[in-house]
């Protein structure tokens, strides 16, 4: 919900020799796994075509997804606006990052800010940190409680290992807890039994200048399986009108996963990742000593790792229990800001049936995130410098089969408590009607909250505004608000899905959301002379508050048509209307309502055409239109992507990818500080080898 206002609270040195070392390690992994590859049998994952590609539309509708209810359900029976991006979709899109993959989902706003940053939103409120959307990777939440949101540049999953991405448009708070206000994005990687053998993918071009992904997996396919991977890339800057090409991006990441079972009932997963990155950026660095304000150019030093363990016991059909725990370490150092964070999380989920066609799900969760934020510049700091954010949750859901296989009612609620809030409820009610196996209607109501973060409760941010009388420096400062409350949503949704024959699928959803206590920026008093911190200076006090309310409404349509076995056509269209206002009698707002409304596109359209030219060739074409962002002075744009792939052997694929082809460059979002960075036309070639 941020735009370029007075200040940006969303802030940000990688060493080139370290990057070269990392890419060398990736190449070394390739050399290690290659000798073993000849001994491995080709598994289903390694055949030239993914099994999902061969599924009919009816079979795809029956694919089991888990995000909506945390239990396996057929996609066509989900009482939510869900879109599943499959591994085949990812491969054929030509995308090289998770944010670019998310462009495939209707209702998701993806705007590239520069080479390593994005603004992403669902049903409005797009921002650099996507603060109203909960993002998970294999059940591990990557939502930061510091500035409220997700740092997309460090969510670099190896795309070949992704099984699917489930995107819920609309609140998922009852199941997943706070901050799942406008949606949930769940990135789910493959079980290790499906990734035996070796895989290497490498390539490069004018923007994606070089990348290498390598993986090796093994096991017996029954009781114990594993994989290890490493990936590295070097991405060049986008187009800068002032030729200040600061936003290059380099990274190395590696990790492992094991899946094993002790018996027919108990299965275990242990996985982990470690990464080190350097992402170039410019930020405004404000201090109370000369030169008071300057544009700092540097490189974000980003590193960290995580480890996750999960136990799943299947007791009988529709009766199981799962316990999951993870630890996440984040080191983030920017030219004006630092965050060193340790997060611990444990989660319990239990499911069991009851008589009268009832399915009960309940769970408990606890999280502690300890962050240290040493002061880099005096105009940006947290008080106290070290804090621990706590979250405790419990949820209960009852799914009742009112009419067998035809009418289902789901009711439930989530209870949560954080170190900034008391106990809060997030109830939901959902009704599904399936008059036939070809169509389904659903309707839902959900109350959801975004809980306060350190950015509102403990953050102090200053901006230099010039000199006052007598040459005394003049600052404006947003002070921490100890009374900042949770943002509130009451969401109303309905949807319809229809499979017409075997060739046409149609999915439409509509929503109306009412928000209250939304984030605002307001002036809290007159200008005064402040002497601490020295030197004396004039100060205009301001504060982050809860002074906005409003509504959003919209519609999302996603049809698919397969006129021939070798030809697939898909499209999506989303319409969004936002109306936000300042609460009467709540001070002087800094134009937050208008800037928020105008930072999300009113219309988005995507059209895709995929051809299979014999058994060896694929051609995929994508067209995108995004309407203007008037608050950011960003014009509407149309662009297109293309991917052509050739498989001369079952284990080998060559591909050429062109992105943003319809113009030399275009702007998608505002940069802070200015000037804006444009996204330029790009191309790359890649080769994938698997054995």
């Amino acid at each position: 919900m941020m735009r370029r206002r007075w200040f940006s609270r969303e802030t940000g040195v990688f060493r080139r020799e370290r990057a070269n070392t990392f890419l060398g390690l990736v190449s070394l992994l390739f050399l290690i796994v290659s000798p073993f590859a000849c001994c491995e049998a080709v598994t289903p994952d390694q055949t030239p075509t993914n099994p999902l590609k061969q599924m009919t539309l009816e079979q795809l509708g029956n694919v089991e997804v888990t995000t909506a209810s945390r239990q396996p359900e057929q996609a066509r029976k989900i009482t939510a606006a869900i879109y599943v991006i499959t591994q085949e979709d990812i491969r054929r899109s030509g995308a090289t990052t998770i944010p670019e993959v998310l462009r495939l989902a209707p209702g998701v706003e993806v705007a590239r800010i520069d080479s390593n940053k994005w603004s992403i939103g669902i049903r409005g409120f797009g921002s650099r940190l996507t603060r109203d959307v909960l993002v998970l990777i294999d059940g591990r939440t990557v939502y930061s409680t510091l500035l409220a949101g997700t740092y997309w540049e460090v969510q670099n999953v190896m795309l070949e290992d992704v099984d699917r991405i489930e995107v819920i448009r609309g609140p998922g708070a009852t199941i997943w807890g706070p901050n799942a206000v406008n949606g949930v994005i769940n990135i789910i990687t493959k079980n290790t039994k499906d990734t035996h053998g070796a895989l290497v993918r490498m390539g490069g071009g004018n923007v994606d200048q070089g990348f290498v992904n390598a993986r090796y997996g093994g096991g017996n396919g029954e009781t114990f399986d594993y994989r290890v991977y490493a990936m590295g890339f070097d991405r060049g800057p986008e187009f800068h009108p002032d030729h200040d090409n600061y936003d290059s991006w380099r990274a190395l990441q590696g990790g492992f996963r094991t899946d094993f079972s002790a018996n027919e009932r108990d299965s275990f997963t242990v996985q982990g990742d470690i990464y080190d990155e350097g992402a170039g950026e410019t930020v405004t660095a404000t201090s109370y000593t000369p030169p008071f304000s300057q544009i700092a150019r540097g490189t974000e030093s980003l590193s960290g790792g995580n480890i996750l363990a999960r136990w799943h016991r299947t007791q009988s059909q529709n009766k199981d229990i799962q316990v999951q725990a993870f630890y996440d370490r984040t080191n983030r150092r920017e030219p004006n800001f630092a965050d060193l964070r340790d997060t611990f999380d444990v989660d319990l989920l239990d499911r069991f049936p009851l008589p009268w066609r009832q399915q009960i799900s309940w769970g408990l969760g606890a999280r502690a995130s300890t962050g240290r934020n040493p002061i880099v510049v005096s105009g940006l700091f947290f008080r106290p410098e070290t804090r621990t954010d706590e979250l405790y949750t419990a949820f209960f859901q009852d799914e009742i089969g009112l009419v067998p296989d035809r009418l289902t009612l789901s009711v439930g609620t989530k209870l949560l408590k954080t170190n900034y809030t008391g106990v809060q409820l997030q109830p939901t009610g959902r009704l599904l009607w399936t008059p036939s196996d070809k169509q389904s209607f659903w309707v839902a109501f959900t109350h959801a909250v975004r809980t306060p973060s350190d950015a509102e409760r403990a953050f102090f941010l200053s901006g230099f505004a010039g000199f006052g009388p007598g040459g005394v420096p003049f600052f404006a400062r947003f002070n921490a608000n100890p009374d900042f409350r949770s943002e509130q949503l009451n969401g109303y949704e309905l949807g319809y899905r229809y499979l017409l024959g075997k060739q046409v699928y149609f999915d439409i959803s509509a929503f109306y959301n009412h928000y209250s206590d939304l984030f605002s920026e307001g002036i809290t008093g007159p200008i005064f002379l402040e002497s601490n911190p020295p030197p004396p200076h004039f100060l205009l006090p301001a504060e982050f508050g809860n002074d906005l309310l409003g509504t959003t409404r919209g519609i999302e349509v996603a049809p698919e048509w397969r006129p021939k076995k070798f030809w697939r056509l898909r499209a999506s269209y989303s319409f969004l209307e936002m109306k936000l206002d300042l609460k009467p009698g709540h001070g002087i707002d800094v134009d937050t309502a208008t800037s928020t409304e105008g930072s999300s596109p009113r219309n988005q359209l995507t059209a895709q055409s995929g051809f299979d030219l014999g058994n060896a060739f694929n051609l995929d074409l994508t067209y995108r239109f995004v309407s203007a962002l008037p608050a950011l002075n960003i014009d509407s744009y149309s662009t297109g992507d293309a991917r052509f792939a050739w498989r001369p052997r079952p284990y080998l694929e060559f591909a050429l990818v062109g992105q943003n082809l319809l113009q030399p460059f275009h702007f998608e979002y505002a940069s802070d500080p200015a000037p804006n960075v444009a996204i330029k036309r790009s191309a790359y070639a890649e080769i994938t080898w698997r054995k």
Side-chain angles (χ1 to χ4, degrees), residues 471-492:
V472 177
F474 174 36
F475 294 86
R477 184 174 66 222
F478 283 99
N479 296 311
N481 181 359
D483 298 319
F484 190 91
R485 304 180 301 279
S486 295
E487 296 181 328
Q488 308 282 333
L489 162 71
N490 287 328
Y492 307 84

Side-chain angles (χ1 to χ4, degrees), residues 13-23 209 234-237 245 248-250 278 299:
V13 178
F14 190 72
R15 291 176 290 277
R16 179 175 292 273
E17 59 269 24
R18 183 181 295 180
N20 294 334
T21 302
F22 289 164
L23 292 176
Q209 296 178 346
D234 189 337
R235 184 177 175 88
N245 299 328
S248 60
W249 183 22
R250 304 178 185 90
T299 302

